[in-house]
Amino acid sequence: MLSTFKYSLIFLFISLLITSVEAFELVSGRGDINLFHKDQMKKIDGNSINGAIGINQDTLIMTASNSYARFINDRGDILIIGPNSKVTIELKSTFAGDLIALHDGNIRVIAKKQRKVTKGKFDRIFIRTNSAVAAAETADFLLSYNLFNNVTGLLSFNGESAFKRIDKTHDLSAGQRLIYRRSSKGSQLKYKFHKDTGLSEKLKLANDTLFGDERKNVSTLYRGQYSATFHDARPASMPVKINPIQLTLLYRNTNLDMTLYSDSMDYGQGDDATVAAFPLKGDLLRPAEQVTSYRGQYSTYQKKYAPKAGGLVDIRTGIYIPPENDAIFDESFRVYIPRKIGRINAVNGNFVSPKNLKIDPNKGFVTVNNTHESLKNQQMLNNLLKSNLLLASYQNVSRKKMSMAERYSANIVGLSIVNQGLTHTYNNDEFDFSSRGIELSLILIGNGVIRPFAKFKLLNENFEQLTSSKEVERFYHMNLGLDYLLNENFYLSGQISIDEAPIYLSSTNTITLATINSLIGEVGAKVIRSKRYDIFVFGGAKYNHSNEDDEFDMVSGFGFYAGAKAEYWINRRSYFYGDLSYINHSLSIVGNSNDSDIDMSGTILNLGYRYSF
């Protein structure tokens, strides 16, 4: 009898754990907080909370503007619901985790260490919206959902978070719980809350969807990375690092303050209310390394995409604003640094649009006042959103070329065919020293402004001078240098060249090789550009050092060259290129009856292919 009573108590205790009515406790807040449970509404003044208030399962929580609510569960997990948000605490299960629905607004989750409850299962926190499902694994993240554009965005502050886009018809979609209808005037949204009796099955489905053996298109986010559901027909964007200044300020915004600067304030570099997204100095959070390309990544076959790293996030709309095309790459944080896309609230980290612009959930940037500057910025910013696949009006940019700053932030390898038609004049004699061969070029990743490069040519002689004996069959040229990008249209280059060149020795009527060491300076300009190709003109000067040889001495000399080159982009990573240049170089050799003034002149044609990675 006693044994039966003992087992009955154990069964009753386990049942209470599984169906505990108080899922979370409201411990602090600000402003109006409304709780809806079983057709009853309770209004709480967040400023007057003196003790913990128990929150039942299946309770709808609504916050007013400029208010927030902080909750905690028995494991010490913290939920912070931001202003103008609607959240349902749906289910607490001791053996499966917690299920929460975010219908509109934003919520921050600070999840403590997981507890293994059964083999292979943990008591995670799952949050679902109309377009995504997310789970916290010992993590701190901010989840936002905008009802008007159906974008769910997840920003990870610490730990590891799982995230996946779902359709509105998916069993996990939170749209089945809170149904919105526009009022007759169309200016307000009315809603109706529906009960859901299958929450335990949905909790299991969420676990299988994000952590099951057959999971697919699940994004895993780490510190400082952002992912969002920008397209109904595509998976969530691949995680990318956001600007470290905004990341740090948003991390410190534990009350989810969404205040922006006053419209009456001056918008300038010196505003106390806002800060720029640069320079990256001070005590900043360092985002975790991402697996995608920092320049952006697109896969038409897999329908996967990632915008350019280092941008700013508008928490209200979920829209990610990527750095501009000519943004500079920061080697320390390994992100692009935006300077033209907007500013950041200095207190809470919220995105602040450029002057006379605001961001619309569906249209992107719209003008508040039509000025020449605002219209120009609007076009630039919306083109950024479209080219990075961040607006619903999807544009396939897989065939668009990289900007100059992106090219200066990438490794580029190339192979080309070279044809040199040079004439050497020795006092009064002329020799045709033509040659053909290949060139291997390697441009190393730079910081968006400066990049190092190396070029190596292997040439075969194609001389038409037959009266002289030849000691030359093949020879090489090698160049090492740095390119400096002044802006999107102009660049400078400095390099050292070590060239083997054919030299005619009059004393022995022989063609031999000499090593010419030169310093080269070059300036170039982009004169024509389109969606697929660029055309440049360039010119430079070279100075060769004096050096000694067994049979003669090389005297220093000067030269110049000028030409044009074209690049035709096949896709974002690769392009064909060609350049044609004219060169003229004067120098002298002396010694062993070989004294001669030499003028080298002619054309060089280079045709090849380059690939960036």
Side-chain angles (χ1 to χ4, degrees):
M1 181 71 178
L2 183 62
S3 177
T4 302
F5 178 72
K6 180 175 69 174
Y7 286 120
S8 298
L9 285 177
I10 293 174
F11 177 79
L12 178 61
F13 177 71
I14 293 175
S15 299
L16 288 173
L17 284 177
I18 296 175
T19 59
S20 174
V21 284
E22 291 190 356
F24 280 84
E25 291 181 332
L26 174 61
V27 294
S28 63
R30 181 183 62 221
D32 292 338
I33 305 169
N34 296 319
L35 308 178
F36 298 84
H37 179 67
K38 293 184 177 180
D39 298 326
Q40 294 182 348
M41 192 270 281
K42 183 178 181 181
K43 188 173 182 178
I44 297 174
D45 181 2
N47 301 307
S48 303
I49 298 175
N50 295 319
I53 301 173
I55 303 298
N56 296 325
Q57 292 182 149
D58 216 26
T59 296
L60 172 64
I61 303 162
M62 298 178 61
T63 56
S65 60
N66 201 30
S67 68
Y68 76 92
R70 182 185 297 266
F71 299 84
I72 190 170
N73 64 10
D74 58 357
R75 295 191 299 274
D77 301 323
I78 299 173
L79 301 182
I80 307 163
I81 300 176
N84 291 320
S85 299
K86 299 173 181 62
V87 175
T88 301
I89 306 295
E90 296 189 292
L91 182 66
K92 175 186 176 182
S93 172
T94 303
F95 296 109
D98 301 330
L99 184 63
I100 299 168
L102 173 61
H103 308 289
D104 193 18
N106 46 75
I107 181 172
R108 183 166 177 177
V109 178
I110 305 175
K112 303 300 181 180
K113 186 175 181 180
Q114 299 176 52
R115 298 179 304 189
K116 184 179 287 188
V117 291
T118 60
K119 184 178 181 180
K121 291 186 177 181
F122 299 85
D123 51 358
R124 301 180 173 101
I125 294 180
F126 294 91
I127 303 180
R128 59 185 183 135
T129 71
N130 289 17
S131 60
V133 59
E137 293 193 351
T138 318
D140 179 356
F141 70 81
L142 174 63
L143 191 74
S144 64
Y145 175 69
N146 188 283
L147 184 66
F148 293 94
N149 61 11
N150 200 36
V151 170
T152 303
L154 190 151
L155 173 61
S156 176
F157 294 119
N158 278 307
E160 180 179 319
S161 307
F163 184 63
K164 180 178 180 177
R165 187 195 71 83
I166 58 175
D167 296 323
K168 61 182 178 180
T169 57
H170 196 283
D171 288 340
L172 285 175
S173 173
Q176 301 177 28
R177 299 226 61 190
L178 202 61
I179 308 298
Y180 289 87
R181 294 287 185 271
R182 288 194 179 275
S183 63
S184 58
K185 295 182 179 180
S187 58
Q188 293 182 334
L189 287 175
K190 294 183 177 181
Y191 62 90
K192 184 176 182 180
F193 187 62
H194 288 264
K195 293 183 178 180
D196 193 332
T197 57
L199 293 176
S200 297
E201 290 76 12
K202 285 183 171 57
L203 189 58
K204 182 180 183 302
L205 177 60
N207 194 72
D208 292 340
T209 300
L210 293 177
F211 304 103
D213 295 335
E214 298 182 0
R215 64 177 185 169
K216 185 179 180 182
N217 293 328
V218 176
S219 297
T220 302
L221 287 85
Y222 303 93
R223 183 179 63 252
Q225 298 178 356
Y226 184 73
S227 177
T229 60
F230 294 113
H231 306 286
D232 291 337
R234 290 176 172 265
S237 61
M238 301 170 74
V240 295
K241 297 192 282 188
I242 72 164
N243 178 268
I245 296 176
Q246 186 185 31
L247 172 65
T248 303
L249 292 172
L250 286 174
Y251 173 73
R252 296 171 182 168
N253 184 12
T254 54
N255 293 335
L256 296 187
D257 177 21
M258 302 299 291
T259 306
L260 292 179
Y261 72 100
S262 170
D263 289 339
S264 63
M265 292 181 63
D266 239 359
Y267 183 91
Q269 296 289 329
D271 290 345
D272 293 333
T274 64
V275 294
F278 62 93
L280 301 183
K281 294 181 179 180
D283 186 17
L284 301 178
L285 292 179
R286 186 173 294 273
E289 289 303 310
Q290 63 185 61
V291 298
T292 58
S293 169
Y294 299 108
R295 304 191 308 269
Q297 185 170 318
Y298 310 91
S299 172
T300 304
Y301 174 72
Q302 295 179 325
K303 296 185 177 181
K304 292 184 177 181
Y305 61 99
K308 197 173 181 178
L312 303 176
V313 179
D314 182 66
I315 300 300
R316 292 176 180 78
T317 62
I319 293 177
Y320 173 87
I321 303 93
E324 59 271 16
N325 290 334
D326 57 352
I328 296 173
F329 189 76
D330 184 272
E331 285 287 353
S332 176
F333 286 89
R334 300 199 64 76
V335 294
Y336 288 92
I337 304 176
R339 295 172 179 264
K340 305 174 184 176
I341 62 175
R343 291 173 67 83
I344 307 167
N345 186 292
V347 177
N348 54 39
N350 289 312
F351 172 74
V352 180
S353 298
K355 186 177 181 180
N356 292 321
L357 291 178
K358 66 178 182 179
I359 193 163
D360 180 89
N362 293 296
K363 298 177 182 178
F365 287 90
V366 296
T367 57
V368 177
N369 295 307
N370 289 332
T371 65
H372 175 74
E373 182 181 6
S374 66
L375 292 173
K376 182 180 178 180
N377 286 336
Q378 179 195 26
Q379 182 180 18
M380 183 271 290
L381 290 167
N382 284 336
N383 285 339
L384 277 178
L385 296 182
K386 292 177 182 177
S387 65
N388 281 265
L389 314 180
L390 303 178
L391 282 180
S393 54
Y394 168 73
Q395 287 189 353
N396 187 348
V397 298
S398 62
R399 298 177 66 86
K400 289 190 176 181
K401 66 180 188 289
M402 291 191 295
S403 68
M404 291 296 291
E406 289 173 319
R407 296 174 218 185
Y408 275 64
S409 305
N411 293 308
I412 303 176
V413 62
L415 183 65
S416 61
I417 300 172
V418 181
N419 185 70
Q420 296 187 165
L422 299 181
T423 299
H424 290 202
T425 302
Y426 291 80
N427 298 327
N428 295 321
D429 296 325
E430 286 190 356
F431 299 85
D432 183 3
F433 285 159
S434 299
S435 57
R436 294 171 184 158
I438 60 172
E439 179 185 85
L440 177 65
S441 59
L442 177 61
I443 303 171
L444 299 178
I445 189 169
N447 64 358
V449 176
I450 299 175
R451 65 179 185 184
F453 66 86
K455 298 177 183 178
F456 182 82
K457 290 180 186 177
L458 183 62
L459 302 169
N460 291 316
E461 62 87 7
N462 187 36
F463 305 157
E464 296 183 1
Q465 177 66 33
L466 302 177
T467 59
S468 304
S469 62
K470 294 182 292 182
E471 299 176 355
V472 178
E473 290 186 2
R474 60 180 57 90
F475 48 98
Y476 73 89
H477 292 178
M478 184 170 66
N479 295 61
L480 301 174
L482 291 172
D483 287 333
Y484 178 77
L485 185 64
L486 294 173
N487 53 47
E488 188 70 13
N489 296 315
F490 294 94
Y491 72 89
L492 300 175
S493 180
Q495 51 191 296
I496 299 173
S497 71
I498 304 173
D499 300 342
E500 286 187 331
I503 295 292
Y504 172 70
L505 301 180
S506 57
S507 62
T508 58
N509 195 31
T510 302
I511 299 174
T512 187
L513 285 178
T515 301
I516 304 177
N517 302 321
S518 302
L519 296 177
I520 302 174
E522 180 179 307
V523 59
K526 185 191 300 184
V527 292
I528 299 177
R529 61 179 175 179
S530 72
K531 293 181 179 179
R532 300 292 294 276
Y533 65 85
D534 290 324
I535 295 179
F536 300 81
V537 294
F538 59 89
K542 61 189 304 184
Y543 166 79
N544 70 280
H545 298 280
S546 301
N547 65 303
E548 297 180 356
D549 196 273
D550 293 338
E551 300 181 74
F552 57 87
D553 294 335
M554 183 79 65
V555 181
S556 60
F558 293 90
F560 71 90
Y561 62 93
K565 60 183 177 181
E567 298 175 352
Y568 181 82
W569 287 79
I570 307 168
N571 50 48
R572 286 276 296 177
R573 290 184 175 270
S574 58
Y575 61 94
F576 293 113
Y577 71 97
D579 63 68
L580 178 65
S581 60
Y582 173 82
I583 183 172
N584 186 283
H585 189 189
S586 298
L587 52 86
S588 300
I589 59 173
V590 296
N592 293 331
S593 301
N594 291 310
D595 297 1
S596 297
D597 294 326
I598 307 172
D599 287 325
M600 304 177 183
S601 62
T603 58
I604 301 174
L605 177 64
N606 199 344
L607 300 174
Y609 168 83
R610 282 179 178 161
Y611 177 81
S612 66
F613 59 97

